[in-house]
Amino acid sequence: MKILVVDDSRIMRNVLKNILKEKQIDENAILEAGNGVEALEMLKNNEVDLILLDWNMPKLNGIELVKIVRNHERLKEIPIIMVTSEAARYNVMEAIKAGVTDYIIKPIRGEIVHKKLEELLGQ
Amino acid sequence: MNVKYINPFISATINTFKGFLGADLKTEKPSLFDSNKSEIRYDISGIIGLAGEVRGAVVISFPKLVALKIVSDFLKEDIKIFGEDVIDTVGELVNIIAGNAKRDMEEFRIVISLPSVVKGPNHQISWMQGVPVILIPFKSNYGPVYLFVSLKDII
Ligand SMILES: [Mg+2]
């Protein structure tokens, strides 16, 4: 199993990685990307089972990446949890329309991420 | 001063510190900020531009030692270098504050920029010409935290 963590903040990627490790997810199963372009590169070269995705990032943002993934034959079924500071309802709606599977608003709590993981991956 | 649109930023800052660090902030009296007259000291700022139906900026600033304490606490590691980790954390803090403040201003569709971070003793911030800047000081266990909000036309 592989989980791709996408955020332009390295600190936030580390926070998410630590939350995943608390769920006994192996360090080697976690891939990282600092923007949508890097994420696409990762997705091209790996079989990814879940994406944790920030919205506001340089080069290619989270919403743009969701749209690309959802239109991609091999990638379109991958669950995507948007993990973002964007807390307005119209943003949540926009993300759902673009095709995110779930939505977590920063600041994040470990328990919330764990709960979503259980729902999506059954663990 | 129309505090109606300051409050979402105050709540977002308090909630962000609580959620991010488990820290309690105490809000002090907001005032109109004049960089020529102000006596506050800060060494690092995280800046987010607001566009869409509201234009302006939200800025969070800290003295160097306060920023180092915050980042050390967050990373659970003694951070002494005023470098990349501090810049990253301050940028993400202001990003979370701006994104969360939008929840209480849903009558406006607002687009937030990527954060930029500026360092240097009492560095200048290029505010929008002719738009008032409100300073909201907070007290915390780390020391002073300064929030600046400047919103065109609505405050
Ligand atoms: Mg980001």
Side-chain angles (χ1 to χ4, degrees):
Chain A
M1 191 200 44
K2 283 209 158 61
I3 298 179
L4 174 60
V5 176
V6 192
D7 199 305
D8 55 332
S9 161
R10 191 179 56 82
I11 300 282
M12 279 311 301
R13 294 201 302 273
N14 286 344
V15 168
L16 283 165
K17 278 199 304 192
N18 288 334
I19 291 173
L20 293 176
K21 284 189 218 155
E22 282 165 16
K23 265 281 166 197
Q24 272 65 56
I25 290 166
D26 191 74
E27 170 113 48
N28 297 320
I30 306 170
L31 304 171
E32 275 184 70
N35 60 57
V37 174
E38 282 178 29
L40 273 179
E41 202 55 40
M42 287 282 176
L43 288 165
K44 252 184 233 163
N45 300 320
N46 296 278
E47 288 292 328
V48 170
D49 300 279
L50 173 66
I51 306 172
L52 299 182
L53 180 63
D54 185 24
W55 185 317
N56 293 310
M57 296 182 293
K59 291 183 188 165
L60 186 73
N61 72 30
I63 283 291
E64 291 162 340
L65 182 71
V66 172
K67 290 174 186 165
I68 293 170
V69 168
R70 289 295 177 247
N71 282 305
H72 188 288
E73 206 39 55
R74 184 176 66 86
L75 306 175
K76 67 183 177 196
E77 304 291 340
I78 302 175
I80 301 174
I81 305 179
M82 191 125 238
V83 184
T84 174
S85 72
E86 294 285 4
R89 249 169 311 176
Y90 55 81
N91 288 123
V92 182
M93 295 313 293
E94 186 183 345
I96 290 170
K97 219 175 127 204
V100 300
T101 317
D102 216 324
Y103 200 96
I104 296 174
I105 295 170
K106 294 175 184 173
I108 47 175
R109 298 219 323 265
E111 315 92 84
I112 304 272
V113 180
H114 290 163
K115 196 170 140 258
K116 307 276 187 196
L117 286 177
E118 280 161 25
E119 284 167 14
L120 284 171
L121 301 173
Q123 53 172 268
Chain B
M1 191 195 328
N2 185 351
V3 295
K4 188 178 163 199
Y5 295 113
I6 295 299
N7 289 333
F9 293 93
I10 296 177
S11 322
T13 304
I14 291 171
N15 293 338
T16 299
F17 271 77
K18 191 79 192 163
F20 213 63
L21 299 146
D24 291 309
L25 292 187
K26 194 166 164 289
T27 315
E28 300 192 287
K29 197 177 163 0
S31 63
L32 208 55
F33 177 67
D34 180 343
S35 61
N36 297 316
K37 289 181 189 151
S38 178
E39 285 175 359
I40 64 166
R41 309 276 318 156
Y42 50 84
D43 302 291
I44 188 163
S45 297
I47 303 165
I48 292 257
L50 309 175
E53 291 169 9
V54 170
R55 290 178 57 211
V58 52
V59 175
I60 187 121
S61 302
F62 310 96
K64 180 177 169 179
L65 286 178
V66 174
L68 286 171
K69 278 192 225 167
I70 288 173
V71 177
S72 299
D73 205 10
F74 186 61
L75 300 181
K76 296 175 187 75
E77 184 184 337
D78 196 10
I79 304 292
K80 291 199 175 72
I81 301 165
F82 199 45
E84 272 310 313
D85 285 343
V86 183
I87 291 172
D88 188 319
T89 307
V90 170
E92 191 60 14
L93 267 173
V94 72
N95 169 51
I96 297 175
I97 291 166
N100 276 248
K102 288 171 62 175
R103 176 167 28 205
D104 296 326
M105 303 178 76
E106 285 184 333
E107 63 268 50
F108 303 109
R109 225 183 152 91
I110 304 169
V111 178
I112 63 175
S113 75
L114 293 172
S116 55
V117 176
V118 184
K119 275 197 309 183
N122 275 27
H123 50 267
Q124 287 287 328
I125 291 161
S126 38
W127 298 104
M128 219 182 278
Q129 282 287 325
V131 183
V133 178
I134 311 297
L135 162 65
I136 304 113
F138 295 92
K139 265 190 188 152
S140 76
N141 285 341
Y142 309 109
V145 171
Y146 303 110
L147 178 74
F148 301 89
V149 181
S150 180
L151 304 172
K152 196 171 186 287
D153 299 331
I154 65 168
I155 53 170

